[in-house]
Amino acid sequence: MSAGWFRRRFLPGGPLPAPRPPRPRSSPVPYRRPRFLRGSGSGPGTADAPRRPDVRPVRSPARGRALPWNAGYAEIINAEKSEFNEDQAACGQLCIRRCEFGAEEDQEWLTSCPEEFLTGHYWALFDGHGGPAAAILAANTLHSCLRRQLEAVVEGMVATQPPMHLSGHSICPSDPQFVEEKGIRAEDLVIGALESAFQECDEVIGRELEASGQVGGCTALVAVSLQGKLYVANAGDSRAILVRKDEVRPLSSEFTPETERQRIQQLAFVYPELLAGEFTRLEFPRRLKGDDLGQKVLFRDHHMRGWSYKCVEKSDLKYPLIHGQGRQARLLGTLAVSRGLGDHQLKVLDTNIQLKPFLLSVPQVTVLDVDQLELQEEDVVVMATDGLWDVLSNEQVARLVRSFLPGNREDPHRFSELAQMLIHSTQGKDDGLTEEGQVSYDDISVFVIPLHSQGQRSSGH
Amino acid sequence: MSAGWFRRRFLPGGPLPAPRPPRPRSSPVPYRRPRFLRGSGSGPGTADAPRRPDVRPVRSPARGRALPWNAGYAEIINAEKSEFNEDQAACGQLCIRRCEFGAEEDQEWLTSCPEEFLTGHYWALFDGHGGPAAAILAANTLHSCLRRQLEAVVEGMVATQPPMHLSGHSICPSDPQFVEEKGIRAEDLVIGALESAFQECDEVIGRELEASGQVGGCTALVAVSLQGKLYVANAGDSRAILVRKDEVRPLSSEFTPETERQRIQQLAFVYPELLAGEFTRLEFPRRLKGDDLGQKVLFRDHHMRGWSYKCVEKSDLKYPLIHGQGRQARLLGTLAVSRGLGDHQLKVLDTNIQLKPFLLSVPQVTVLDVDQLELQEEDVVVMATDGLWDVLSNEQVARLVRSFLPGNREDPHRFSELAQMLIHSTQGKDDGLTEEGQVSYDDISVFVIPLHSQGQRSSGH
């Protein structure tokens, strides 16, 4: 396995180049072959994504450059929906340097990965909205933020137990006891690094978009393999699942105005001025009308998981903070997700009401202890943007995985073929897999990551 | 089963009578026999609890008045800990009237329970701090708040699906469709009623304590059986578990400064003035000292589930918003719980910093569909204040339940005996049940509620 690395220092700096126009298409493209990484330093991506010198793929002897662990990747750009592809992806090897305390700011970065580095792998999907700019920036930036955050704590990550003081200058003899009582483990440092990296990347995107006069936001779903564990960090409505022979396990939760209703209503309760008198914080089964005035209707407020009735007042007739159902649910009538990166400039149409205070950039991180699983050859993680999950359930995806992989063991590209097949299944073909008429009109990106034998591949420090 | 009812209108009104001094005791009492309800209108309680005319027990032919479903109850007052018993309990039958829309304010309350009423049962434990006043008020008040909240929505509760408009004056023909799409069921109205009742009770306690010049707060754990379901509402660190032959299922979660760290830190992040410059929002493994200045130490902030390192600044040396570990964890150095009733006047010692903005009165409600369980004769719910769970794990309690009940099927008081036995096990007897030296010095109250055949007993409307 050849070495890959992140070469440039964080940050790339400078304004974001304007996105290039999409390649001319003779006809709407139902799906595309997965975009393998070509040449040094490029990540999987689309024509309108700028070059990504920070991500280098592992080399696949069979077919030029391939994705880490020979993972599969496929994407679809739906020509009718948007001018540019709003899905972006990135993957590569993570090489984490061990820095001397206090000296990291002064050192030149090496361009190779000596053995003493901690190495891991990184896969990321970004689903943009309001244009592709934020997704492109995230695909260019997030791994650099993550590497930097991991390097800041790597000394603690490789210790048996993270030390209270990073430099090892323990002051209080019982420091290790305090750390143990809090149950702090090496994996908590990786979780913390992922959380901080998302926040940092969000700030970068905000600055870059403002400097270049562009707008937009994106969801982010990241999988990182490190020290025998797979970390899945999610902010938005993409999804990752583990598929094994007898098990389908969700590795992420979706963050939408519906799933985060109470947090969003709570903020509006604490800061009513965020709604500028234009919206009602309360949830009703439907938008109220003048005829409802004075009647007792179902409602719930920020502190309620259950429902109650209230007498309708005039202020209840305002547009609801969260409105609509399922895929149609919108925050402030504008946005379908409640976490993600970017959107710093996003306002409700024709008002000064900003969306950002209600959006979180912090992901939820789940940890899969891969070393503890008795892995089979067909055990995979499927990561995909929401377009796939709108049409296929976890169980349907698992059925496809289980029906495809065993018969294609000799095919070196079988995980890419599987990713394509999954996308194919969302295009309304009558294959008995999806309910009749279930077709996705969204951009879709899929990673299929084989877990088998990753323990040997993701060698430690 | 004879009828019981809540007779008085909400609220009892007037200032709270000053708690009476405890009965003289010749020696510290290791545990007491369960306090069965005596005479009409009294609930289980202690000597210092005022009379509770609102709670009436069901009649037990065998032994005067007994608890609903012949549930068992036992309590211990630890003489060394506090002058007054800070644990309080209440239980009885809930009779919910079906009110005509708009007319409920004008009607006299009946003193019997006609068949058309919805009936249920109610058990509640309150663990006070800063004196028994809040716990006594809660034991006197919460069931009235709950009954009132349930009566306000009972029309929706008995419908196949709660109507959008309580009075049935549907405006939009697709209203039922909206309600169905939101998945709103009758049980959501009970959950909403419990949530609102806790909030209302909290406001009552605040007003009553202020009027009587008293202080204090309490946790609240409530179980309500209604329409074939058992609702468990919890605000604080008491706990309820379901014990069956092959299953132990937690029915509540504890709310402490540790379990609600992110919510509490988030509030301090949004409103730093709540800390008045006296506390640091950040969490460290131990309180920092001057020697830590300038070093990189483990920390986490409101957005982090994981940990990271930060360079210690002077402001980090302040007392932490949440400090200590496990049972010693304190909010603002003062309080061991993060949800409950009361505490409106509570301030950090010698400061003007109030605890209340960080405390929530809203409970978490879990629903047990009793009608769907294939109940066995020994299936019980065990509710207890934190003193029990400090010493016994869920599994240990389950083991005691399973070892005691089958051999005592003929004993009509076996559930009370079991409650006593559970308390007995926390008093440091070397019975091999608890780890050596595990002794509780806390007030403890326990309900043991048998579920078998409750379906017939808790008859619907």
Side-chain angles (χ1 to χ4, degrees):
Chain A
M1 176 173 159
S2 70
W5 61 93
F6 296 133
R7 195 175 173 191
R8 284 202 309 183
R9 283 299 303 272
F10 175 83
L11 297 170
L16 180 75
R20 300 179 215 153
R23 291 181 306 177
R25 294 174 193 144
S26 54
S27 65
V29 184
Y31 75 89
R32 302 204 293 176
R33 300 276 300 175
R35 192 169 280 272
F36 287 98
L37 314 186
R38 287 191 202 93
S40 99
S42 73
T46 63
D48 44 77
R51 199 171 151 266
R52 291 193 203 108
D54 276 5
V55 183
R56 289 206 180 184
V58 296
R59 186 179 296 276
S60 156
R63 191 173 169 174
R65 292 185 178 278
L67 278 64
W69 303 357
N70 284 320
Y73 174 74
E75 64 179 14
I76 184 166
I77 303 176
N78 190 289
E80 291 95 43
K81 192 194 167 203
S82 53
E83 195 181 356
F84 302 101
N85 185 15
E86 294 186 335
D87 271 13
Q88 297 291 330
C91 66
Q93 195 177 18
L94 269 178
C95 287
I96 301 144
R97 284 203 53 198
R98 197 166 184 170
C99 306
E100 284 303 308
F101 176 66
E104 71 263 42
E105 293 305 320
D106 311 320
Q107 290 184 347
E108 271 300 303
W109 292 95
L110 301 179
T111 52
S112 62
C113 288
E115 282 302 303
E116 65 268 25
F117 284 18
L118 196 64
T119 57
H121 292 94
Y122 168 94
W123 298 264
L125 294 178
F126 307 97
D127 187 352
H129 49 256
I136 293 171
L137 269 168
N140 279 342
T141 309
L142 182 55
H143 57 271
S144 303
C145 300
L146 178 60
R147 193 201 54 173
R148 206 179 72 88
Q149 294 287 346
L150 287 170
E151 283 176 348
V153 301
V154 69
E155 200 184 335
M157 280 165 56
V158 297
T160 318
Q161 176 184 286
M164 168 88 183
H165 297 81
L166 192 61
S167 56
H169 302 162
S170 193
I171 288 161
C172 174
S174 55
D175 276 352
Q177 193 185 322
F178 284 108
V179 174
E180 197 175 337
E181 277 176 9
K182 290 264 180 193
I184 307 170
R185 302 146 303 172
E187 73 178 58
D188 293 311
L189 298 183
V190 182
I191 295 170
L194 278 159
E195 291 167 331
S196 301
F198 271 61
Q199 282 219 314
E200 195 172 303
C201 182
D202 184 53
E203 288 161 20
V204 172
I205 290 173
R207 285 199 299 272
E208 297 271 330
L209 288 184
E210 192 179 1
S212 62
Q214 293 186 87
V215 295
C218 67
T219 68
L221 174 64
V222 168
V224 171
S225 162
L226 207 58
Q227 297 176 295
K229 290 186 172 136
L230 189 79
Y231 299 82
V232 177
N234 186 43
D237 60 356
S238 296
R239 187 186 300 171
I241 64 171
L242 168 70
V243 179
R244 308 183 70 197
K245 196 178 171 189
D246 304 312
E247 185 189 11
V248 186
R249 194 191 307 179
L251 298 178
S252 65
S253 307
E254 278 92 84
F255 295 100
T256 68
E258 276 188 314
T259 64
E260 296 213 277
R261 173 187 61 83
Q262 285 189 273
R263 175 182 71 74
I264 292 164
Q265 284 182 318
Q266 171 71 20
L267 184 61
F269 169 72
V270 175
Y271 276 126
E273 57 268 35
L274 291 177
L275 302 183
E278 299 278 344
F279 289 83
T280 171
R281 179 184 78 232
L282 304 180
E283 183 187 13
F284 303 98
R286 62 161 167 78
R287 186 170 179 191
L288 301 184
K289 309 167 186 176
D291 288 348
D292 293 305
L293 263 175
Q295 293 217 50
K296 280 195 171 178
V297 303
L298 282 167
F299 88 106
R300 57 181 174 177
D301 201 354
H302 65 96
H303 63 278
M304 300 165 71
R305 194 172 71 81
W307 287 80
S308 192
Y309 287 92
K310 81 170 298 251
C311 197
V312 178
E313 300 160 45
K314 209 174 164 194
S315 62
D316 299 325
L317 305 185
K318 290 175 183 171
Y319 200 86
L321 171 59
I322 298 168
H323 188 54
Q325 200 57 35
R327 298 293 307 160
Q328 270 62 52
R330 290 289 180 278
L331 172 60
L332 290 163
T334 305
L335 207 54
V337 289
S338 58
R339 298 205 189 186
L341 310 173
D343 287 321
H344 296 73
Q345 314 289 328
L346 186 59
K347 292 180 180 176
V348 177
L349 196 66
D350 294 333
T351 74
N352 241 334
I353 300 170
Q354 290 197 309
L355 271 285
K356 192 65 177 174
F358 295 98
L359 296 177
L360 283 190
S361 60
V362 61
Q364 189 189 57
V365 184
T366 56
V367 185
L368 183 68
D369 197 341
V370 181
D371 278 356
Q372 296 302 310
L373 296 174
E374 287 183 17
L375 286 171
Q376 304 290 314
E377 205 172 333
E378 266 84 39
D379 293 348
V380 296
V381 168
V382 178
M383 291 168 66
T385 49
D386 62 325
L388 185 84
W389 308 107
D390 287 347
V391 179
L392 294 176
S393 69
N394 295 2
E395 287 297 338
Q396 285 171 321
V397 167
R399 228 177 300 149
L400 280 167
V401 169
R402 289 170 191 149
S403 69
F404 181 85
L405 287 181
N408 293 276
R409 286 200 179 144
E410 304 309 314
D411 182 353
H413 309 299
R414 60 185 181 142
F415 299 110
S416 290
E417 303 291 338
L418 173 57
Q420 282 177 54
M421 206 250 273
L422 289 172
I423 287 182
H424 191 77
S425 305
T426 66
Q427 302 305 302
K429 305 290 179 290
D430 185 18
D431 48 13
L433 279 161
T434 58
E435 287 172 36
E436 204 181 336
Q438 287 273 66
V439 180
S440 175
Y441 296 102
D442 204 354
D443 295 343
I444 300 179
S445 302
V446 178
F447 274 122
V448 177
I449 305 172
L451 294 179
H452 188 56
S453 76
Q454 71 86 23
Q456 297 93 288
R457 287 180 187 174
S458 70
S459 57
H461 57 285
Chain B
M1 176 174 159
S2 70
W5 60 96
F6 295 135
R7 193 173 177 192
R8 285 201 308 184
R9 279 302 300 273
F10 173 85
L11 297 169
L16 180 74
R20 299 177 216 154
R23 291 180 305 179
R25 290 175 196 147
S26 54
S27 64
V29 185
Y31 74 89
R32 303 202 294 176
R33 301 276 299 174
R35 192 169 280 274
F36 286 99
L37 314 186
R38 286 192 202 92
S40 101
S42 73
T46 63
D48 43 76
R51 199 171 150 268
R52 293 194 201 105
D54 276 4
V55 182
R56 291 207 179 184
V58 296
R59 184 178 299 277
S60 155
R63 192 175 169 173
R65 291 186 177 279
L67 277 64
W69 301 359
N70 283 320
Y73 175 73
E75 64 180 13
I76 183 167
I77 302 175
N78 189 288
E80 292 93 44
K81 194 193 165 202
S82 53
E83 195 181 357
F84 302 102
N85 185 16
E86 295 185 336
D87 272 14
Q88 296 291 330
C91 67
Q93 195 176 20
L94 269 178
C95 286
I96 301 143
R97 284 203 52 198
R98 197 166 184 169
C99 307
E100 282 304 307
F101 177 65
E104 71 263 46
E105 292 305 320
D106 312 319
Q107 291 186 348
E108 270 300 302
W109 291 95
L110 301 180
T111 53
S112 62
C113 288
E115 283 302 304
E116 65 270 25
F117 284 16
L118 196 63
T119 58
H121 292 94
Y122 169 91
W123 298 263
L125 294 178
F126 307 97
D127 187 353
H129 49 256
I136 294 171
L137 270 169
N140 279 342
T141 310
L142 183 55
H143 57 270
S144 304
C145 301
L146 178 60
R147 193 202 53 174
R148 206 180 71 88
Q149 293 288 346
L150 287 169
E151 282 177 347
V153 301
V154 69
E155 199 183 335
M157 280 165 56
V158 298
T160 319
Q161 175 184 285
M164 169 87 185
H165 297 81
L166 192 61
S167 56
H169 302 161
S170 195
I171 289 160
C172 173
S174 54
D175 276 352
Q177 191 185 325
F178 283 108
V179 174
E180 196 174 339
E181 276 176 7
K182 289 265 181 194
I184 307 171
R185 302 147 302 171
E187 73 178 59
D188 293 311
L189 297 182
V190 183
I191 295 170
L194 277 160
E195 291 166 332
S196 300
F198 271 60
Q199 283 219 312
E200 195 173 302
C201 182
D202 184 53
E203 288 161 19
V204 172
I205 290 173
R207 283 198 301 271
E208 297 270 331
L209 288 184
E210 193 179 0
S212 62
Q214 295 186 86
V215 295
C218 66
T219 68
L221 173 64
V222 168
V224 171
S225 161
L226 207 59
Q227 297 176 297
K229 290 187 172 134
L230 189 79
Y231 299 82
V232 176
N234 187 43
D237 59 357
S238 296
R239 188 187 299 171
I241 63 171
L242 168 69
V243 179
R244 308 183 70 198
K245 196 177 172 191
D246 304 312
E247 185 188 11
V248 186
R249 194 192 305 180
L251 298 177
S252 64
S253 307
E254 279 91 85
F255 295 100
T256 69
E258 277 188 313
T259 63
E260 295 213 278
R261 173 188 60 84
Q262 285 190 273
R263 176 182 69 74
I264 292 163
Q265 285 183 319
Q266 171 72 20
L267 184 59
F269 169 73
V270 174
Y271 276 127
E273 56 268 35
L274 291 176
L275 302 184
E278 300 277 344
F279 290 82
T280 169
R281 179 183 80 232
L282 303 181
E283 183 187 16
F284 303 99
R286 62 162 167 77
R287 186 169 178 193
L288 301 184
K289 309 166 186 177
D291 287 349
D292 294 306
L293 264 176
Q295 293 217 51
K296 281 194 171 177
V297 304
L298 282 167
F299 88 105
R300 55 181 175 178
D301 201 353
H302 66 97
H303 64 279
M304 299 164 73
R305 192 172 73 80
W307 289 80
S308 193
Y309 286 93
K310 79 168 300 244
C311 198
V312 178
E313 299 160 45
K314 210 173 163 194
S315 63
D316 299 325
L317 303 186
K318 290 175 182 169
Y319 200 86
L321 171 58
I322 298 168
H323 188 53
Q325 202 54 38
R327 299 293 307 157
Q328 271 61 52
R330 291 291 179 278
L331 172 60
L332 291 162
T334 306
L335 207 55
V337 289
S338 58
R339 298 205 190 186
L341 309 173
D343 287 320
H344 297 72
Q345 312 290 326
L346 186 59
K347 290 180 180 176
V348 177
L349 195 67
D350 295 333
T351 73
N352 242 334
I353 300 170
Q354 291 198 309
L355 272 286
K356 193 64 177 175
F358 295 99
L359 297 175
L360 283 189
S361 60
V362 60
Q364 189 189 56
V365 184
T366 56
V367 185
L368 182 68
D369 197 340
V370 181
D371 278 355
Q372 295 303 309
L373 296 175
E374 287 183 18
L375 286 172
Q376 303 291 313
E377 207 171 328
E378 267 82 39
D379 293 347
V380 296
V381 168
V382 178
M383 289 169 66
T385 49
D386 62 326
L388 186 83
W389 308 108
D390 287 348
V391 179
L392 295 175
S393 69
N394 294 2
E395 287 298 337
Q396 284 170 323
V397 168
R399 229 178 299 149
L400 280 167
V401 169
R402 288 171 191 148
S403 69
F404 180 86
L405 287 180
N408 293 276
R409 285 201 178 144
E410 304 310 313
D411 181 354
H413 309 299
R414 60 183 180 142
F415 298 111
S416 290
E417 303 292 339
L418 173 57
Q420 282 178 52
M421 205 252 274
L422 289 173
I423 286 181
H424 190 78
S425 306
T426 65
Q427 301 305 300
K429 306 288 180 294
D430 184 17
D431 50 10
L433 278 160
T434 58
E435 286 172 36
E436 206 182 333
Q438 286 273 67
V439 181
S440 176
Y441 296 103
D442 204 356
D443 297 343
I444 301 178
S445 302
V446 178
F447 275 122
V448 177
I449 306 171
L451 294 178
H452 188 56
S453 78
Q454 73 86 23
Q456 298 92 288
R457 288 181 187 174
S458 70
S459 56
H461 57 284

